[in-house]
Each structure stands twice: as structure tokens, then as C-alpha cells.
Amino acid sequence: MGVLLFLFVCCNLLFFLLDSSFGSDTITSSQSLSDGRTLVSKDGSFELGFFSPGSSKNRYIGIWYKSIPIKTVVWVANRLNPINDSSGLLIINKRGNLVLKSHSMRVVWSASLSKEVQQTPVVLQLLDSGNLVLRGEQEGDSGTYFWQSFDYPSDTLLPGMKLGWDLKTGFERRVISWKSADDPSPGDFIWAVERQDNPEVVMWKGSSKFYTTGPWNGLSFSAPTTRPNPIFNFSFVSNEDELCYTFSIKDKAVVSRIVMNQTTYLGQRFTWSNNTQTWDLYSKAPRDECDTYGLCGAYGVCIISKSPVCQCLKGFKTKSGGYMDWHEGCVRSKALNYSRQDGFIKFTELKLPDANFSRVSKSVNLKECREKCLENSSCMAYTNSDIRGGGSGCAMWFGDLIDMRSFPDGGQDFYIRMSASELGIKGEPTTKIVVLVISAAALLVAVLAAGYLIHKRRRNIEETDQENEDQNIDLELPLFELATISNATNNFSINNKLGEGGFGPVYKGTLVDGQEIAVKRLSKISDQGLKELKNEVILFSKLQHRNLAWKLWNEGMSLQLIDACYQESCNRAEVIRCVHISLLCVQQHPDDRPSMPSVILMLGSEIVLPQPKQPGFLVNKKSTEPDSSSSMLESSSTNTITISELEGR
């Protein structure tokens, strides 16, 4: 009899102990959780109960790691309303909602249900992931919940939790630090996904941006803080339904978490070490000085290997001289035209700037993106919005570019708007062209406009009776005696020699009226003959004939300049552009002529060209007469090709 009594007492005691600790992961609407009792997830990873943080006496309901000896709290329910004694009681009320009450049965905290329970029997369950869920009693592991703690993070992001937005409901999930180790109420260090056209993850210190990842590029954020690694996978979802960052653990034996630490103002990823029985710091953000938001101001770039770390981008200069306050940033060395005459410089290995004032067009390619940016005077930069598969989509930035840094091993390409003159000086256009400039402007015209013509033209000029025909051609150009040319070049002095080509040496000369000329002299040892030299001069003269270099242009008939043998094979648009640029180079007034850097830019880009005026070389034959010398001197630029006839005595 005594034995039976003993067994009865033991069984009752066992049931009492089980009821006190629950030994379960679930409570029903007929049960409650009081201070001193806990729920434990099925695999023993997490535990839910009441606790007091640090040296505080206040009581909170929270979740911590069950299997780790160092008590590490990952979620707190009543962050704003602690209980000052052990009277707390967690229950499911008659409406099916989860509430926390104090000794006076005052509601201290309650769950915000995502949908109405409608008299469905519900249970509260602590999952192996650390997620506390309120679900229908018959739902099981369907994943359908009336409420879940993962939607309301505290200072910790666990695997499977989402940081970001449910775009269908407008609900946001963000991680907010504790005020201190003794106070889990929300601090001012916040981690969130910015809901914008070009989304990025941002850390806030109060109302000020503290750190940004740069926008998502399809593979990672442009600041490569998260890369393929042996511990965890990460993903960023951006679609019509949601906008969020999440991560998962590759090896379930690994315990990892991300916590916002207000004491250090760092977002820290920890992994648990079973060997040392401590939390090891795996990574952090910000990582260094260059991760400080906006450290180098507008158009400044942070380079951690430089001193100072802040530098102006190429083509920019510091905004203020002397002592540099980098928060003032940099300004362009050459002002923008804010038109299609501007261009872009390609920068590489950059963390992209703050994307708050950027816009994305997913259906636009990079070339189209450039055109869209160039057309909008407010657009300051562009790049691909997705770098996968060679790049796609278009992201354009408007306003000042802030928060850039150099990443030699993982940054992105970025195209920043610059003035045409800056592009010419720096030599940054994508197509680089070397232009050989001969002193006479007419030769420049020939080089630019006759690139498609001159070689074939020489070979195709008919040989029969050519010399006789040449003498009858009206070149509409002045003719000079050999003595005049000899005097102009100081008897072809070596000091006047400019260079030497296939025909022979070229000399600089000055006529009696002060006009400078270039003289090409046929060498005795040249492979070319007098006929070839005349043919070239005739071709040059035709290129500046008043009925071709100007009349055909005005009538939209410039293509008649193209040799018949080139009509089908040449790029006609390029020929017309060369003629257009040539006419600009021989304008009457110097202010109307482009500089050589501008000519290079015009040749290497598709910027809109100004309409040419009547060229300066359209002068009458009588301008070579003595009484017209003054009018020639008044001309700001006169392009003249001369030929001296050599006749026997």
C-alpha cells in the first residue's frame, strides 16, 4: 500500500513539473504562460519565456537560444512596456488574439493580427526557426499564420526572417537596436530597406543616414558586403509583391545571427563557436571609414588606400580651397552645357551613389539609357540596373552624386555626365581618333571630308591627255609665280621646313601682304610625279569649290561628293558628318570654329552639331589683286591652295 501511495505522489509531482515548464512548444486558448514557465521549440534550439536584461529588474517576454549557454535574446515582445514584477501572464484571449497582462490584468502588450480569427480554435507555437506563430489549431505546418514574431523583429535578424516590405499590404519589417544592454526598448540605430525605384539597404542613426549598401544589381549590392561564402546564402527580392532581404544557413549545424549594436553603432554578424563557447564576429557594417555615409560629399570618392581617403573624381575639383571640408564635396572642372553637347566618362570599380534620387527602367538597354540620360538635363549619371548576363536595364541618377567609394575588387561601372570640353581634354570618348593637322586649313578640310575619296580618286583619274586637261581646269584659286613662292619661303630655307611627305618637303611661307601659306614642293626622288601632285591639288580645290563645299551642302546634296566607286560601300551618315565638321572648321569667324578637342569629340560621338555658316574661303578671284590685299587681311581665316607652273625658257 505504501508503494502505491509513493508512485501516486511521484506521478502527480511529475505532471506538476511538466505543467510548470510545459516541456512543449505549444499552448492553446485554454492555457497560459506565467513568469517562470517557458515554451521550447521541438528541436530544442529556442526558448520563450520571461527574462530581465542585464542589471534591470524589469520583466519582458522574449525568445533566446536554448542550446547556447550564454543567454542571447533574439526577440522581445513588450519592448516599450516592461512589467515591474513577476505577475506577467501570456494568454490567448476569447477573440483569438495573443496578449500579455500584468498583475492587475492590465494589457501590457498584444499581437497585431494579420487577419481575423473568426472563432477558429488557435494555438501559439514556437518553431525550430525561432519564429513564434499564432495559427489555427488544425493548420499544422501549412505556413499560414494569423500572426508571427518574424514580422516584428527586435534588434536581431535570424535566418529566414525578412527585412523589408510586403508591397501588397504596405507592411514594413525593420531591425531596431536596443537602447542598451539593460534596456531592450527601441534605440536610434535602425536597419531597413528603402522603398524606392532603385532600392537599397540603409542603416539609420536617428533621422540621418549612417550607411548604405548601394542599390541591388541582380547579384549583390554595389557595395559588396555580402558575397558567396561557406556559411550562408543571401537573396534580395524585388517584385510587385515584396521588397526584402533575407538569408539562410547552408549548414544547419551553424548558428548565425545579425544584430544591430547601438553601443558600437555596427551591424554585426556573429557565428557560434562550439570550440570556444563564444560568439565569433564574422562580419560587420560599416567596415571602415569609407563606409561612413556621405563622407566625401558630392562627387567625392572614398579610397581607403589613399591619404586623405577622400578624393575628387577625375574631371572634378574641390569646392573650397585651403583646408578642405569634404562634406562640401567637389565640383566639375568644366561646367556642363546641360544639353546633348555633354558626354559621359566611364568610371569603374565604384560603389554606386545614394540611389534615393535614381530611377530604373528595366526594359531599356545601356545604349538607350545613355540617350535617355543625355536628353534629360537633370540626369547626371547612368548604368545598368542589372549586371547579370552582360547587363540589362537602366538606372539613372538625378542631382548630386553622394556616397561613392572605390572597390578595386568588386565595384561597378558608372557613367557620369561631363562637359564636352572636359571629354576632349581628357581624351575619354569611347572612340579615340588621332587627327593629323597640316598648317593650311584647306588640307584639314581635305583630310576630314575626303577620307573615303582621296586614295581611290588618285588611281581612277584618267591618264589620257590629263596634263593638257589640267591646264584648262578653272581651279578658282590664285596662281603664283615661282619667284613669289621662293621669296615667301626664304628660297625654300631649311628653317622654314615643316615636314616631309610622299611628294616631298612642305615649307612655311609668308606672302608680302603678311598672309601665311604652306608650300608643298615636288622632290626629284619622290615616287610620285607632277601629274599626281596636280591631281591632289585638283581634288583639294574641288573640295573647296564654291559649287561643292557650300552649294551642295545648302541643297542637301552633299552625297554627290562621294566617288561613284564608294557609293555603295561607304557609311553615308559618316561622310555627311565629316563634311559638316569640315565646314565648321573653316568658318569665317574664329568664334564659330570648334577647338581641336571639340573636333575630336564631334568625330567620336553623336552630339548634335551646330549649323555651319558660309565658309571663309569663298572669296572672289580678284582677291589676289594688289588693291584687295586689305580685304584679305581683314579675313580671320583664309584657306588657300596654290600651284606654281614650272615652264622652260
Side-chain angles (χ1 to χ4, degrees):
M1 192 72 177
V3 174
L4 291 174
L5 180 62
F6 175 76
L7 290 174
F8 177 77
V9 171
C10 287
C11 288
N12 278 284
L13 180 61
L14 179 61
F15 284 128
F16 174 78
L17 292 173
L18 287 173
D19 184 60
S20 298
S21 64
F22 271 84
S24 170
D25 64 343
T26 306
I27 61 173
T28 67
S29 56
S30 62
Q31 297 173 310
S32 63
L33 187 72
S34 59
D35 200 330
R37 302 164 68 184
T38 63
L39 292 182
V40 179
S41 62
K42 284 183 179 179
D43 67 355
S45 297
F46 293 94
E47 186 172 22
L48 168 74
F50 289 85
F51 75 101
S52 293
S55 60
S56 173
K57 301 299 183 181
N58 290 325
R59 302 295 286 173
Y60 299 86
I61 192 82
I63 300 173
W64 54 87
Y65 291 99
K66 173 69 173 177
S67 58
I68 291 178
I70 300 175
K71 192 166 189 175
T72 306
V73 177
V74 297
W75 181 78
V76 182
N78 55 321
R79 300 182 72 178
L80 294 172
N81 295 304
I83 300 174
N84 57 15
D85 55 29
S86 60
S87 64
L89 195 66
L90 185 66
I91 64 170
I92 300 173
N93 65 14
K94 294 179 180 180
R95 296 182 178 179
N97 196 11
L98 181 65
V99 296
L100 176 63
K101 295 185 176 182
S102 64
H103 65 281
S104 61
M105 299 306 290
R106 178 177 63 89
V107 175
V108 174
W109 171 88
S110 65
S112 300
L113 298 182
S114 59
K115 56 183 178 179
E116 191 175 347
V117 173
Q118 294 181 340
Q119 298 182 345
T120 303
V122 296
V123 296
L124 181 69
Q125 183 179 18
L126 181 60
L127 304 181
D128 294 337
S129 62
N131 191 11
L132 182 66
V133 302
L134 191 66
R135 62 173 176 81
E137 196 173 84
Q138 305 301 320
E139 293 294 337
D141 297 329
S142 67
T144 302
Y145 308 127
F146 295 113
W147 174 90
Q148 58 178 333
S149 63
F150 271 19
D151 282 340
Y152 302 89
S154 294
D155 69 332
T156 302
L157 193 73
L158 296 175
M161 293 180 74
K162 294 180 178 180
L163 180 76
W165 295 81
D166 182 333
L167 298 178
K168 293 183 294 184
T169 63
F171 181 77
E172 182 187 16
R173 308 174 190 92
R174 51 171 52 191
V175 176
I176 305 176
S177 67
W178 288 18
K179 277 189 176 180
S180 70
D182 301 325
D183 184 2
S185 62
D188 67 352
F189 194 35
I190 303 167
W191 190 28
V193 175
E194 291 303 288
R195 185 178 180 179
Q196 56 196 34
D197 205 47
N198 198 9
E200 58 188 337
V201 178
V202 176
M203 291 182 183
W204 295 83
K205 187 176 181 181
S207 59
S208 301
K209 286 186 178 180
F210 187 71
Y211 165 78
T212 68
T213 60
W216 181 259
N217 60 25
L219 294 176
S220 66
F221 296 105
S222 69
T225 54
T226 49
R227 297 182 178 180
N229 62 85
I231 295 181
F232 62 92
N233 293 313
F234 60 90
S235 66
F236 188 76
V237 179
S238 178
N239 55 38
E240 294 180 355
D241 296 331
E242 60 180 339
L243 180 65
C244 66
Y245 166 82
T246 187
F247 76 95
S248 60
I249 300 299
K250 295 181 178 180
D251 184 351
K252 291 185 178 180
V254 174
V255 179
S256 181
R257 64 192 172 97
I258 301 175
V259 62
M260 294 293 286
N261 189 331
Q262 180 152 320
T263 303
T264 59
Y265 282 103
L266 290 173
Q268 299 168 308
R269 177 182 288 278
F270 291 102
T271 57
W272 176 255
S273 172
N274 288 319
N275 294 330
T276 62
Q277 291 289 288
T278 58
W279 287 104
D280 291 341
L281 180 63
Y282 183 82
S283 62
K284 63 181 181 178
R287 292 156 294 186
D288 52 38
E289 186 180 9
C290 280
D291 271 348
T292 304
Y293 176 79
L295 179 69
C296 300
Y299 300 105
V301 60
C302 194
I303 307 175
I304 198 64
S305 60
K306 296 279 188 178
S307 181
V309 294
C310 287
Q311 302 286 322
C312 287
L313 290 168
K314 186 178 182 180
F316 291 80
K317 60 184 179 181
T318 56
K319 191 172 184 179
S320 60
Y323 174 76
M324 181 61 198
D325 180 3
W326 279 101
H327 288 92
E328 295 184 6
C330 306
V331 293
R332 287 179 173 80
S333 301
K334 304 286 185 180
L336 290 176
N337 292 314
Y338 297 99
S339 70
R340 292 188 62 85
Q341 293 186 16
D342 295 327
F344 296 92
I345 288 183
K346 177 182 177 181
F347 294 88
T348 60
E349 301 178 335
L350 281 184
K351 170 193 173 183
L352 300 184
D354 187 344
N356 186 42
F357 296 104
S358 65
R359 299 291 180 269
V360 172
S361 298
K362 294 182 179 179
S363 62
V364 176
N365 62 36
L366 193 64
K367 184 177 180 180
E368 294 167 336
C369 190
R370 181 188 187 279
E371 290 302 308
K372 287 173 68 71
C373 189
L374 199 59
E375 289 172 0
N376 190 324
S377 61
S378 299
C379 181
M380 294 294 108
Y382 73 94
T383 191
N384 278 133
S385 57
D386 192 331
I387 64 172
R388 293 176 295 181
S392 63
C394 170
M396 298 187 295
W397 272 254
F398 301 86
D400 289 341
L401 306 178
I402 299 174
D403 196 39
M404 292 178 284
R405 71 169 292 176
S406 173
F407 276 113
D409 57 347
Q412 286 185 236
D413 294 345
F414 196 50
Y415 301 84
I416 299 180
R417 190 175 198 135
M418 304 295 287
S419 69
S421 57
E422 184 69 36
L423 289 169
I425 292 172
K426 300 300 181 183
E428 293 291 343
T430 54
T431 303
K432 297 183 179 180
I433 299 176
V434 178
V435 179
L436 178 62
V437 182
I438 304 176
S439 59
L443 294 181
L444 175 61
V445 175
V447 171
L448 295 175
Y452 292 92
L453 319 175
I454 190 168
H455 180 67
K456 197 70 176 181
R457 176 76 71 175
R458 291 176 182 170
R459 296 173 56 185
N460 292 338
I461 294 179
E462 295 184 2
E463 297 181 359
T464 59
D465 298 325
Q466 184 65 49
E467 293 184 14
N468 292 333
E469 292 181 10
D470 290 347
Q471 296 177 0
N472 297 326
I473 292 177
D474 179 12
L475 298 181
E476 293 199 11
L477 293 171
L479 299 176
F480 294 92
E481 297 292 337
L482 178 61
T484 303
I485 301 300
S486 179
N487 290 334
T489 59
N490 196 18
N491 198 24
F492 301 100
S493 170
I494 188 66
N495 294 328
N496 288 48
K497 186 175 180 180
L498 296 173
E500 191 161 346
F503 289 106
V506 180
Y507 297 89
K508 177 182 179 181
T510 305
L511 297 175
V512 292
D513 60 6
Q515 181 182 1
E516 292 185 346
I517 61 172
V519 179
K520 180 177 287 189
R521 188 178 191 186
L522 181 62
S523 173
K524 292 181 179 179
I525 61 174
S526 173
D527 293 333
Q528 308 289 339
L530 178 61
K531 181 178 68 176
E532 286 79 11
L533 176 61
K534 285 186 176 182
N535 287 339
E536 184 174 275
V537 174
I538 291 170
L539 174 60
F540 289 169
S541 68
K542 286 184 177 180
L543 287 174
Q544 64 174 4
H545 192 289
R546 67 168 54 98
N547 290 325
L548 298 174
W550 183 241
K551 183 177 180 181
L552 291 179
W553 172 264
N554 281 338
E555 295 176 354
M557 302 171 64
S558 302
L559 292 176
Q560 291 190 15
L561 290 169
I562 304 177
D563 191 291
C565 63
Y566 278 92
Q567 285 284 350
E568 299 299 326
S569 61
C570 73
N571 186 322
R572 298 188 177 190
E574 290 185 3
V575 172
I576 292 175
R577 189 171 183 86
C578 285
V579 173
H580 193 162
I581 296 171
S582 301
L583 289 172
L584 293 176
C585 290
V586 292
Q587 292 293 284
Q588 180 79 8
H589 197 280
D591 291 341
D592 294 331
R593 302 176 207 145
S595 63
M596 284 314 303
S598 297
V599 171
I600 295 173
L601 179 62
M602 291 174 181
L603 290 168
S605 68
E606 298 178 0
I607 63 173
V608 177
L609 302 178
Q611 287 301 314
K613 303 173 184 176
Q614 179 171 299
F617 59 70
L618 290 184
V619 295
N620 296 324
K621 281 185 176 181
K622 65 181 181 181
S623 62
T624 58
E625 298 172 3
D627 60 356
S628 65
S629 61
S630 60
S631 63
M632 293 181 66
L633 288 173
E634 291 174 0
S635 173
S636 57
S637 176
T638 303
N639 300 290
T640 304
I641 298 178
T642 67
I643 181 168
S644 300
E645 295 287 348
L646 302 177
E647 298 181 357
R649 296 181 178 177

